[in-house]
Structure formats: structure tokens, C-alpha cells
Amino acid sequence: MLLDTFGRQAVDLRVSLTDRCNLRCTYCMPEEGLQWLAKPDLLTDEEIVRLVGLAVRELGVREVRFTGGEPLLRPGLVGIVAACSALEPRPELSLTTNGIGLARTAGALRAAGLDRVNVSLDTLDPDTFHTLTRRRRHQDVLDGLSAAVAAGLTPVKLNAVLMRGVNDHEAPELLARCLAEGYELRFIEQMPLDAQHGWDRSSMVTAGEILERLATRFTLTPEPSDRRGAAPAERWLVDGGPGRVGVIASVTRPFCRACDRTRLTADGQVRNCLFATGETDLRTALRSGAGDDEIAELWRAAMWGKKAGAGIDAPEFLQPVRPMSAIGG
């Protein structure tokens, strides 16, 4: 098992497959992009499958989420999914994507064993999409969402970040569209994980503000707290249900006490928290011929040292040097 000193067990593994992305979202990276990891630094497909297999068989991981960067840019993605779906015990497999390219890959991913997808879409307006992402790919994302439903990658969850003065007025319309299409919407507070370190708490649209905007059009009823478990999203029934909406308030309503996640970066580093400032290197151990038992002990030690919380409100909080695109969402 992957335990920490506070009694939490990590059963949810987030695996970043690449730091590259085909968008340039303003809350993630600068317009010119970043210096990407060199190919030799990335874990190979076989190394990823080995580490996921070790986590599932030896460390108690039950859920695996593939992330990026943009994981659809990973050439061997379908093969990685197929190999992980063949593991015993079989983990639940999901993918977080910006949706570009999903229209042509959804069917193959489902056939390989992927269970569902989370798609990031912050706006229903193509021009606002261009403002936020610096790319004109809005229709590609909509097509990807439709393809995911057609392929059976359900429930499709849609992730949205609201930016003040840009798309924060769209919250009710985003929810209305998701209810109509059968998507499960999750609003995510903007977090201090941007490459340019320009995050400013005072300009962040908070969970409270998001709920106020939604309440102008919908009646929201909180789900019982005992149904949340370790899920990062607080959820509300919309107009009595069955439709629901979630808010992931990593900044203003941290959920660290119930965190059950462990993270593997594209270059083989274990992170015990999204906001961690340190990492544990598994890639070097892999490539030095270490056995599964040795690698498992490194992973256990990394998780044992996990802090009680991310400490965003603490005066000594430091934003991670590595941005979201390198860490994995």
C-alpha cells in the first residue's frame, strides 16, 4: 500500500504521458510555449506500463488517470491503455484531455480499454476560446466531446476554469449546455501552477462566486457529505436532479485530508502532492536495473513523507517550480 503518516492511502494514480500541449492556455503557459522535455528523459511506453503494473499489483492502486500536457499527443497512447487494461487486478482507466484529436481516437481508446474521459473546455464561445487558448480549435473540442459519447467513454466529465473578466459570466450557460448534452460539469478554481508564475489569488474566481453565478439560474442542493469520499469535487444536484454540477475548490476549500492520489510525471518522478516542491526519481532506478521491490520501496517512502496539506494559505507556501504541463493534472 501507499500510506502516509496521516493514515491516507493513495489508490488513485495520475500518470503524465507528455509535457507537450497543442494549446497555450493563459492560465497554464506563455504564448511561446515552454522548453519541452527531451525524448530520452521521457519514460518509454514499456516503462510506463511497468510502473503502472507495479502500482496496481503491489501498491494498492485501483484507478489510473492518464494526463499531460496533452496525452493525445503521446504516439503510443492506445498501446499503453491496452496494456494497462490487461493488468490484474484491472484498474479503472480514464483520461484528461483538451479534446483536440479525440474525434479521431475515441473509438480506438475505448476498444483498448479506456473507461471514460475528462475534457477541458472553459467557454462556449469560439472567440473567447481563442482568447484563452491562443488557438482556434473550439469546434475540434466539441467534436471530440461528441465522439467520446458515441464511443461509450461515459460519463463524460467537462472541466472548466473561469477567468475573471474573460469567461466568468458563462458559468450558467456552461451548466445548461452540459445538462442538455449529458456531460458532468466540474468548475475548477484557477491554481498556482502556471509556468509564468503569474497567478494572483485576488483575481481568482472562487468557488463561492461560481456558486453565486449558478444560483441566478438554477437551484442547487448539496449532495450528502458522506457521498463525496476522496473525490476532489463538491457536488450539487441541479434543480432537484438527476443532473449534477461539481466545484473543485483546491484553493479556498482544500480537500487534503481525504486525498488519495499519487502522481507520476512524464520523466518518471513521483509527486505525493500536486503542489509538492520535491520529487522522487523512479526513472533512474528503472534504468539502473532496480527490481520491482526496490522501486516499490522508493514509491512507498515518497508517499510516507506527504504533508498534511498543500499549505496554500501558509506564509511559507512556495509555488512548484514545475508547471502543470510538466506535473500532470
Side-chain angles (χ1 to χ4, degrees), residues 231-311:
E234 293 181 79
R235 298 190 302 186
W236 286 261
L237 290 174
V238 181
D239 293 340
R244 295 177 299 186
V245 64
V247 178
I248 299 176
S250 301
V251 177
T252 63
R253 303 181 187 181
F255 39 87
C256 301
R257 284 186 295 179
C259 181
D260 66 350
R261 283 167 290 288
T262 181
R263 300 174 184 276
L264 182 65
T265 67
D267 55 349
Q269 312 299 305
V270 166
R271 297 181 62 87
N272 59 26
C273 174
L274 189 60
F275 298 101
T277 54
E279 300 174 334
T280 298
D281 183 7
L282 299 189
R283 184 191 65 201
T284 297
L286 271 175
R287 296 180 180 177
S288 299
D292 284 357
D293 288 346
E294 183 179 345
I295 294 170
E297 281 307 309
L298 286 172
W299 207 328
R300 289 190 186 99
M303 296 309 296
W304 187 250
K306 185 171 182 173
K307 295 180 179 179

Side-chain angles (χ1 to χ4, degrees), residues 1-2 13 46-64 83-84 86-91 291-293 295-296 299-300:
M1 293 191 295
L2 291 172
L13 170 61
E46 293 76 16
E47 288 170 335
I48 290 170
V49 173
R50 180 183 171 188
L51 289 175
V52 172
L54 186 156
V56 169
R57 291 189 305 268
E58 307 295 335
L59 300 176
V61 164
R62 299 193 295 269
E63 302 175 26
V64 178
C84 291
L87 294 172
E88 292 291 342
R90 185 194 186 282
D292 284 357
D293 288 346
I295 294 170
W299 207 328
R300 289 190 186 99

Side-chain angles (χ1 to χ4, degrees), residues 110-186:
R110 184 72 180 108
L114 191 69
D115 295 305
R116 63 173 189 83
V117 293
N118 285 36
V119 179
S120 299
L121 181 63
D122 304 322
T123 177
L124 298 174
D125 181 79
D127 291 331
T128 303
F129 182 89
H130 179 253
T131 297
L132 284 167
T133 69
R134 305 183 177 104
R135 298 291 186 271
R136 294 199 177 276
R137 306 297 298 271
H138 190 256
Q139 188 59 49
D140 293 329
V141 182
L142 298 181
D143 292 344
L145 284 164
S146 298
V149 172
L153 293 170
T154 54
V156 173
K157 296 183 180 179
L158 194 150
N159 297 334
V161 176
L162 297 182
M163 302 293 289
R164 194 176 303 281
V166 180
N167 65 332
D168 54 326
H169 63 286
E170 288 193 64
E173 190 57 38
L174 275 165
L175 179 52
R177 174 69 71 86
C178 287
L179 292 172
E181 299 289 345
Y183 309 140
E184 293 190 15
L185 178 60
R186 300 288 187 272

